[in-house]
Amino acid sequence: MPAPRLIVGLGNPGAEYEDNRHNLGFWFVDALARDLKISLAPQGKFHGHVGRCGDLWLLKPSTYMNRSGQAVVALAHFYKILPDEILVIHDELDLPPGGVKLKQGGGNGGHNGLKDIQAHLSVPDFWRLRVGIGHPGDRNEVVNYVLKAPRKEEQALIDATLTRCLNAWPKLADGDYAAAQRALHVKAGTPAATP
């Protein structure tokens, strides 16, 4: 597998959205940027906050969630980054807080950010790092739910999962998605297998 060249964290711009469940992708990219000592700066032509380290790009779209594809495709086309070299980190209603799943392609599960990225790339072949936020139990409550901060105990589970994702980064950076999946897909409370 090719190593990822573009890491996209999904979220909404603006201080009022910072702690929302829907901004989980932004949280990860900010943490990864800190770890890799990459500074993110606004870049108008890429519609987002962008940072670079060698061949690796980090992107936080500033287009609002439902137009995320505009930012992704602008940067990917400019630097000739292929869909299977893109990793998108996003909140996932279908996984409990603390759950995580790394996969390539597939549907969008009604996630507006993924939907727009698929539409702009014309293929679903990019990688997704799906981090669970749980479901409110009622579809009519979803918008309200994702635009609120997690409860304290949920935040602790999400933070622990994001740390696991950061720990799996060296495997992801090498394009070793199978090893990253093994490290990430252990059940909560189970120690990860050591290589």
Side-chain angles (χ1 to χ4, degrees):
M1 284 290 173
R5 292 179 55 210
L6 173 57
I7 310 299
V8 184
L10 296 187
N12 287 307
E16 68 272 34
Y17 296 108
E18 270 174 22
D19 64 353
N20 292 180
R21 293 177 174 97
H22 225 17
N23 271 39
L24 183 151
F26 279 12
W27 305 344
F28 177 82
V29 166
D30 284 338
L32 183 61
R34 276 194 303 275
D35 276 11
L36 299 178
K37 298 183 174 36
I38 296 174
S39 57
L40 301 170
Q43 288 205 24
K45 71 176 174 181
F46 299 136
H47 313 286
H49 282 73
V50 177
R52 180 182 190 177
C53 177
D55 276 342
L56 178 70
W57 291 89
L58 303 185
L59 170 65
K60 289 166 51 181
S62 54
T63 50
Y64 290 95
M65 185 65 81
N66 61 356
R67 294 180 61 209
S68 300
Q70 183 184 356
V72 172
V73 85
L75 198 150
H77 281 182
F78 192 85
Y79 290 106
K80 298 182 172 47
I81 296 170
L82 300 173
D84 66 353
E85 297 174 318
I86 299 172
L87 173 64
V88 177
I89 296 89
H90 65 91
D91 56 310
E92 177 58 63
L93 288 160
D94 293 335
L95 291 172
V100 62
K101 186 155 191 185
L102 175 65
K103 63 175 281 197
Q104 183 181 22
N108 55 52
H111 193 291
N112 288 332
L114 293 181
K115 206 181 290 183
D116 197 59
I117 293 169
Q118 283 181 350
H120 276 80
L121 290 176
S122 306
V123 292
D125 301 343
F126 55 93
W127 285 85
R128 303 100 189 275
L129 188 52
R130 304 162 59 204
V131 178
I133 59 168
H135 196 287
D138 178 350
R139 331 180 15 195
N140 299 320
E141 286 299 314
V142 164
V143 171
N144 200 21
Y145 179 77
V146 298
L147 294 178
K148 281 208 169 88
R151 294 195 309 267
K152 195 175 171 187
E153 65 276 16
E154 294 171 342
Q155 187 72 61
L157 291 167
I158 291 167
D159 288 346
T161 299
L162 292 176
T163 299
R164 260 168 59 208
C165 295
L166 288 171
N167 291 340
W169 170 251
K171 296 178 179 71
L172 289 170
D174 287 341
D176 193 346
Y177 286 95
Q181 283 168 324
R182 285 193 298 276
L184 288 169
H185 295 172
V186 292
K187 288 190 171 58
T190 308
T194 47

